[in-house]
């Protein structure tokens, strides 16, 4: 066996160990992050009537999270690169746990003159303010993890790795939907608190636990991983360093002279186009995520049958979890990144149009929701292989954060559009058709505006 064979073998075994060590911890962390982000969708079933929130107020409040997220995304990711993933991700988790738990007392927090300054009723201002602060607290978590994975896994493994990590989105909804429903149904009235208040308190606790685990267990780089042998650490570092050098040539399907600095990344036209593609996908993701419990309830489920609503909501997200792992693995195997991203958006658009056509019929509507969730999660699983193919180091920290920040504005506008249209028309159908059109536009932009039709070579082809 040659020295090159030994190095390759050490790297391969190191990648396998890193996946077993890191992905479960990151997976659980993202479950609790996403759960704290979207559990307001379940809380809305009680909270809206208790506090007098209209659909428009709820939609705007659910989405304003992403304005705070947008403003602090790039600075947060640059600080992660500076201070290390362990410290920064743990900090993120602790602060969002505090803000998320504070939602239990959203109508009792004194805001002084601020509501009058903004011309908003105090009870609405508290909801908007806490959602905005939650976005600030969580900013940098997801793009930080995407950046962190580039420290450990080469491009040929990345879509599959990201897909496995991002099945946490599906798992958060599969686990969180019935748990949230059960908390609201069976904890209602305990200690004089409504079920939605207990929901925020109890679901903030796992974030604190996960933050402690991140602080104790997450190594910043392969060089700090005590559970790798010296040979494995050196082999992984050497392979990724070689890929960094190749990333600015044609070896991984990128154009020569890719951006090196944060400023170059933010000026890159390709980065901006990818941000617009991501924006198109997140409109559908968060539009449906925040409204899923309401959509399911309106299929004829009793207004207080929160557990049943949660169990039915599991079906689309469970289907999506399987679909996104398959899509990520197939994207790695074929190297056809752009086609998988675009195809996923077309599937989501098909589901959204079908949701309008089938009306309030339980089985057809759930099938349509399965198409929507499978499409948007498969899109998320494969999308991040596009920017990480040509961005590295500081450019990656800034570029990935900027794409995620701009793209996640869809998380603000998606729920808000649905809320406003529901308030104006009594139906979300026009909103679903609008989201479908955006998904199609994102698919076409991926195929013809990002250079993603060029096949990204796998390690075996390189």
């Amino acid at each position: 066996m040659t020295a090159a064979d030994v190095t390759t073998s050490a790297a391969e075994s190191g990648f396998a160990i890193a996946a077993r060590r890191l992905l479960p911890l990151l997976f659980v962390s993202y479950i609790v992050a996403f759960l704290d982000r979207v559990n307001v969708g379940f809380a809305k079933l009680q909270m809206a009537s208790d506090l007098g929130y209209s659909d428009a107020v709820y939609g705007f409040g659910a989405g304003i999270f992403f304005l705070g997220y947008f403003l602090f995304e790039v600075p947060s990711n640059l600080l992660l690169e500076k201070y290390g993933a362990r410290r920064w991700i743990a900090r993120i988790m602790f602060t969002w746990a505090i803000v998320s738990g504070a939602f239990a007392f959203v109508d009792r927090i004194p805001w002084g003159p601020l509501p009058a300054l903004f011309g908003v009723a105090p009870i609405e201002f508290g909801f908007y303010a806490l959602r905005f602060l939650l976005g600030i607290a969580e900013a940098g978590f997801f793009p930080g993890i995407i950046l962190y994975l580039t420290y450990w896994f080469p491009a040929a493994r990345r879509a599959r790795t990201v897909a496995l990590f991002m099945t946490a989105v599906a798992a958060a909804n599969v686990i969180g939907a019935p748990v949230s429903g059960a908390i609201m149904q069976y904890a209602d009235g305990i200690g004089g608190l409504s079920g939605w208040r207990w929901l925020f308190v109890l679901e903030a606790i796992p974030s604190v636990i996960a933050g402690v685990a991140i602080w104790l267990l997450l190594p910043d780089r392969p060089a700090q991983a005590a559970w790798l042998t010296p040979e494995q650490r050196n082999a992984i570092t050497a392979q990724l360093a070689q890929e960094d050098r190749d990333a600015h040539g044609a070896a991984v399907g990128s154009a020569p002279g890719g951006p090196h600095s944060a400023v170059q990344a933010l000026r890159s036209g390709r980065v901006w186009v990818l941000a617009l593609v991501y924006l198109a996908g997140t409109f559908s993701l968060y539009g449906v995520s925040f409204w899923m419990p309401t959509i399911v309830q309106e299929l004829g489920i009793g207004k207080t049958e929160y557990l049943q609503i949660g169990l039915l909501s599991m079906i689309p997200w469970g289907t999506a979890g399987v679909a996104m792992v398959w899509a990520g693995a197939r994207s790695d195997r074929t190297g056809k990144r752009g086609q998988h991203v675009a195809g996923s958006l077309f599937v989501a658009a098909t589901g959204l149009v079908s949701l309008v056509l089938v009306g309030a019929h339980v089985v057809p509507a759930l099938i349509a929701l399965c198409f929507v969730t499978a499409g948007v999660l498969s899109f998320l699983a494969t999308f991040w292989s596009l920017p990480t193919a040509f961005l590295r180091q500081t450019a990656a920290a800034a570029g990935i954060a900027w794409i995620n920040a701009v793209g996640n504005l869809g998380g603000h506008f998606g729920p808000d559009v649905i809320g406003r249209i529901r308030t104006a028309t009594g139906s979300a159908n026009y909103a679903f058709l609008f989201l479908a059109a955006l998904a199609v536009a994102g698919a076409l932009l991926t195929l013809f505006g990002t250079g993603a039709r060029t096949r990204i070579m796998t390690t075996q082809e390189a």
Side-chain angles (χ1 to χ4, degrees), residues 150-194:
T150 68
Y151 300 159
W152 291 85
F153 301 100
R157 290 174 172 266
R158 208 163 288 146
R160 181 170 65 250
T161 303
V162 170
L164 289 171
F165 162 63
M166 291 193 66
T167 54
V169 176
N173 286 282
V174 169
I175 297 168
V179 169
S180 297
I183 290 172
M184 287 178 58
Q185 187 162 334
Y186 299 115
D188 192 36
I190 295 177
L193 297 179
S194 300

Side-chain angles (χ1 to χ4, degrees), residues 187-241:
D188 192 36
I190 295 177
L193 297 179
S194 300
W196 65 268
R197 297 185 192 272
W198 279 114
L199 176 68
F200 287 121
V201 170
L202 295 177
E203 291 189 352
I205 295 171
S207 298
V208 176
I209 297 171
V212 172
I214 289 286
W215 178 264
L216 296 176
L217 302 176
L218 194 74
D220 287 325
R221 301 270 184 161
Q224 283 83 50
W227 31 262
L228 292 175
T229 67
E231 293 78 12
Q232 290 168 335
R233 290 195 289 269
N234 292 336
I236 290 174
T237 301
Q239 185 166 325
L240 292 173

Side-chain angles (χ1 to χ4, degrees), residues 78 248 258-267 391-396 398-399:
L78 293 174
H248 306 296
H260 295 262
S261 69
V263 173
Q264 287 176 327
L266 296 179
R267 289 178 176 174
L391 293 171
R392 291 294 185 278
Q393 299 176 356
T394 302

Side-chain angles (χ1 to χ4, degrees), residues 187-458:
D188 192 36
I190 295 177
L193 297 179
S194 300
W196 65 268
R197 297 185 192 272
W198 279 114
L199 176 68
F200 287 121
V201 170
L202 295 177
E203 291 189 352
I205 295 171
S207 298
V208 176
I209 297 171
V212 172
I214 289 286
W215 178 264
L216 296 176
L217 302 176
L218 194 74
D220 287 325
R221 301 270 184 161
Q224 283 83 50
W227 31 262
L228 292 175
T229 67
E231 293 78 12
Q232 290 168 335
R233 290 195 289 269
N234 292 336
I236 290 174
T237 301
Q239 185 166 325
L240 292 173
Q242 183 61 49
E243 188 174 81
D244 281 348
R245 291 189 290 271
D246 291 342
H248 306 296
V252 292
S254 60
H260 295 262
S261 69
V263 173
Q264 287 176 327
L266 296 179
R267 289 178 176 174
S268 168
R270 193 173 177 187
V271 167
W272 277 89
V273 171
L274 287 170
L276 292 177
V277 172
Y278 199 54
L279 177 68
T282 57
F283 256 89
S284 296
L285 171 65
Y286 291 110
V288 173
S289 293
F290 286 120
W291 286 97
M292 177 78 81
T294 300
I295 294 169
V296 172
Q297 184 188 57
E298 292 177 351
L299 296 178
I301 312 302
K303 288 189 175 295
T304 59
E305 296 297 327
Y306 303 117
L307 179 56
Q308 185 179 356
I309 294 168
L311 292 171
L312 288 175
S313 299
M314 288 173 59
I315 297 172
W317 294 113
T319 302
V322 175
M324 73 187 300
V325 172
W326 174 84
R330 192 173 188 277
S331 174
D332 275 346
R333 186 171 66 253
T334 65
K336 296 179 180 178
R337 310 299 196 182
Q339 289 90 327
H340 282 81
V341 172
S344 298
L345 288 173
F346 282 128
V347 170
T350 300
L352 287 162
V353 173
S354 300
L355 200 56
V356 174
L357 297 176
V358 301
H361 299 285
V362 177
V363 174
L366 286 175
I367 292 172
L369 285 170
C370 286
F371 273 87
V372 177
T373 55
V376 293
L377 292 196
S378 295
F379 161 77
L380 291 178
T382 53
F383 172 84
W384 289 105
S385 61
L386 299 180
T388 56
F390 71 100
L391 293 171
R392 291 294 185 278
Q393 299 176 356
T394 302
I400 291 169
W402 183 246
I403 290 168
N404 195 61
V406 173
N408 269 300
L409 287 176
H412 168 66
F413 293 111
D416 189 34
V417 164
I418 293 178
R420 291 180 187 277
I421 290 177
R422 280 174 57 91
T423 298
T425 68
S427 169
N429 285 347
Y430 289 113
F432 293 147
L433 293 175
F434 174 65
L435 297 183
L438 283 179
V440 170
L444 295 176
L445 191 58
T446 300
L447 292 175
F448 301 106
T450 65
R453 298 181 77 187
T454 303
R455 199 170 191 262
I456 296 177
M457 296 170 63
T458 63

